[in-house]
Amino acid sequence: MTSPEVGISVVERETGLSKDTLRVWERRYGFPDPHRDRHGERVYSAEQVGKLRLISRLLDRGLRPRQLVAASIEELRARVAAPAQPSPAADNSPPFETTLKLLAAYDDAGLRSHLSLTLQRLGLLRFILEFAAPMNVQVGDAWSRGTLAVSQEHLYSEQMQHQLRQGIGTIYPGRRTPSVLLTTLPGEAHQLGVLMAHACLALEGVRCISLGVQTPIRDIAQAAHQHGADVVALSFSEALRLKAALAMLQELRAQLPQSIEIWAGGALWDHAQDVPPGIRLVSRLEHIPHELAEFGQRHGAPPAAAV
Amino acid sequence: MTSPEVGISVVERETGLSKDTLRVWERRYGFPDPHRDRHGERVYSAEQVGKLRLISRLLDRGLRPRQLVAASIEELRARVAAPAQPSPAADNSPPFETTLKLLAAYDDAGLRSHLSLTLQRLGLLRFILEFAAPMNVQVGDAWSRGTLAVSQEHLYSEQMQHQLRQGIGTIYPGRRTPSVLLTTLPGEAHQLGVLMAHACLALEGVRCISLGVQTPIRDIAQAAHQHGADVVALSFSEALRLKAALAMLQELRAQLPQSIEIWAGGALWDHAQDVPPGIRLVSRLEHIPHELAEFGQRHGAPPAAAV
DNA sequence: GTTCAATATTGTCTAGGACAACAATCCCTT
DNA sequence: AAGGGATTGTTGTCCTAGACAATATTGAAC
């Protein structure tokens, strides 16, 4: 704990709620109810910031603030944890458990070795589908429950990224269609989704180009054009607000010719019911081969020749 | 051009100047001077946004707004381009030229192959010192001059990252002291600096742990403690404001015990004259071995046994 | 020249009012 | 009873204009 009480701009940064919103909530609902320093400026307690963070998360799921501000912290925490899909039965099979144990012990060398061995043992595809993807969810859950520190989540992410890139690096680049441009929208900093998708696509022999994360809309459109991409594939974690994501998707759709498809995937869409027209939801990495086959049919290409 | 006139929140996002700042400049200096829509809300022309973007950049270099708002766009553009260090004689040796040519042609496959070959030809250390580091500068310059699109810079960064990680992956982890924790501060998203430092350290046989980018201060401190790190090494590009960087460094210094050193490196420090006490500036990657030797002397360790 | 105090500049905070966009209700018609 | 359209409630963002702390800059005294 550095300082238990923070100013409004810190709260804005930490919760994503604008200063205006924080002030107007205080005026309307009486929450948050910050102290004032000697100069009359708002000073928020760590507890209130925590509650605001929870509320902010629930807002993204379409709930409205009036009820949320009145609820207790426990209630909010329960709502945040629960109504996602009930977490795929907290897998306790050895690789998962070991990973969490290594993270808990801050054992980076052990983690590196464990991930590398698991990759070699399973092969890249099974490593991703059966291990990396569900593991990411577990790590994300543990982080949001507070079981895992930020630094541990970073460590995990870094090491996993390393393995995935090693894996991708060993694939000889294919030339199958469609040509896919991979990236994330501004504000979405998680790389693992892009890397997993990259690997799955490359394993299908598809030509793909990754721009890393956080590419501005206009630049995605430009790059798609320049590279002659057939598909722009975007990865979304729960870090991005659903509203913002939808708005940006619509903007991108408008800037791209109809001949270029947009595929969207990632955890964000677990909570979403529908997407704007002209966007294809690829909710699971497993569906990628099927999606590629369908693309082939739509575009009259030869039906997915074996790699 | 999507829409030639935009609202205040868009300007905030695009320029990094807060709404408050935009309004108070208008009040004080008469610039910017947005039109108003029928509801009295500010509407900024593309030209004004452009000028604001230039001003925002110059502010980071310590200039003050009063003069800047009065200057013409051309004048600002000249100032942005010029007074950095005069760019190390735009190296035109083959690998550099080829890289820029491949980027200009959006040739990702060619770039991948070119980088990989250069890495194999030079070896990891020379690849970094003689090629990657100066190339990063050139790409950054080209981007800020507008010669290179954002998507091209992303592509470069992604491919270079790939090569560096491949290189790091082949190094058998050493156990030499000091134990180094690598990352960047919040707001610093550039990974290449961390990766290059990681590689240089690993090549010296030093045990190092990377947390990726943008680790919150508190979590850096916690991780350093948990990992038993002797040094926290931080990379800074010019993306971060100098002021913000210094403040965060001071905060981190306060949270770490004196026994843990902080090393700072990266392009940001080319403009800076001095750093807070208790921070060691490692201005060039080439100095890393020397820095390690000095660390050994300071801590009475055996004088840098050969790897 | 340095050092310290006075002054100017600059960003961020404050308050309360206004309104557009969206969601939820209600009522009327079919 | 169900669908559709108007009314009402909710919510986020914008507005003005004033205040002040933190940081530069200037000026005066040594």
Side-chain angles (χ1 to χ4, degrees), chain B residues 284-299:
Chain B
R284 324 213 72 238
L285 292 165
E286 286 90 335
H287 299 167
I288 284 179
H290 178 245
E291 203 64 45
L292 289 172
E294 281 202 348
F295 178 93
Q297 287 178 3
R298 278 198 298 280
H299 292 72

Side-chain angles (χ1 to χ4, degrees), chain B residues 73-253:
Chain B
I73 293 192
E74 288 70 27
E75 201 175 330
L76 294 174
R77 216 190 300 275
R79 284 225 239 175
V80 166
Q85 78 282 36
S87 181
D91 202 327
N92 281 333
S93 60
F96 295 90
E97 215 181 336
T98 309
T99 307
L100 288 173
K101 210 175 288 173
L102 290 167
L103 275 176
Y106 283 87
D107 181 354
D108 54 291
L111 182 61
R112 176 176 178 166
S113 143
H114 172 61
L115 293 182
S116 170
L117 292 174
T118 308
L119 170 56
Q120 296 304 323
R121 200 177 299 133
L122 294 180
L124 183 53
L125 186 62
R126 288 184 58 207
F127 177 78
I128 291 171
L129 299 182
E130 297 172 19
F131 176 63
M135 191 75 238
N136 288 347
V137 175
Q138 283 199 35
V139 168
D141 283 357
W143 170 77
S144 71
R145 271 201 312 276
T147 317
L148 223 56
V150 175
S151 61
Q152 291 169 309
E153 195 256 343
H154 274 221
L155 180 64
Y156 166 78
S157 179
E158 180 72 13
Q159 299 273 1
M160 183 58 91
Q161 192 182 149
H162 227 94
Q163 296 302 327
L164 290 173
R165 286 188 188 267
Q166 295 283 342
I168 292 171
T170 61
I171 305 170
Y172 186 82
R175 316 214 106 258
R176 223 184 105 189
T177 58
S179 168
V180 181
L181 182 80
L182 281 152
T183 187
T184 73
L185 295 181
E188 174 57 71
H190 289 74
Q191 308 196 38
L192 293 180
V194 172
L195 286 170
M196 292 190 299
H198 190 160
C200 289
L201 288 162
L203 284 169
E204 293 291 320
V206 159
R207 173 165 166 258
C208 43
I209 304 129
S210 172
L211 295 183
V213 294
Q214 312 215 53
T215 311
I217 311 276
R218 183 180 314 190
D219 298 283
I220 297 177
Q222 196 216 349
H225 178 251
Q226 294 284 354
H227 286 288
D230 304 306
V231 172
V232 171
L234 300 168
S235 166
F236 298 82
S237 77
E238 298 184 84
L240 217 51
R241 320 229 148 170
L242 185 55
K243 282 238 192 86
L246 291 174
M248 286 191 284
L249 270 176
Q250 211 149 13
E251 171 76 17
L252 178 61
R253 182 66 279 176

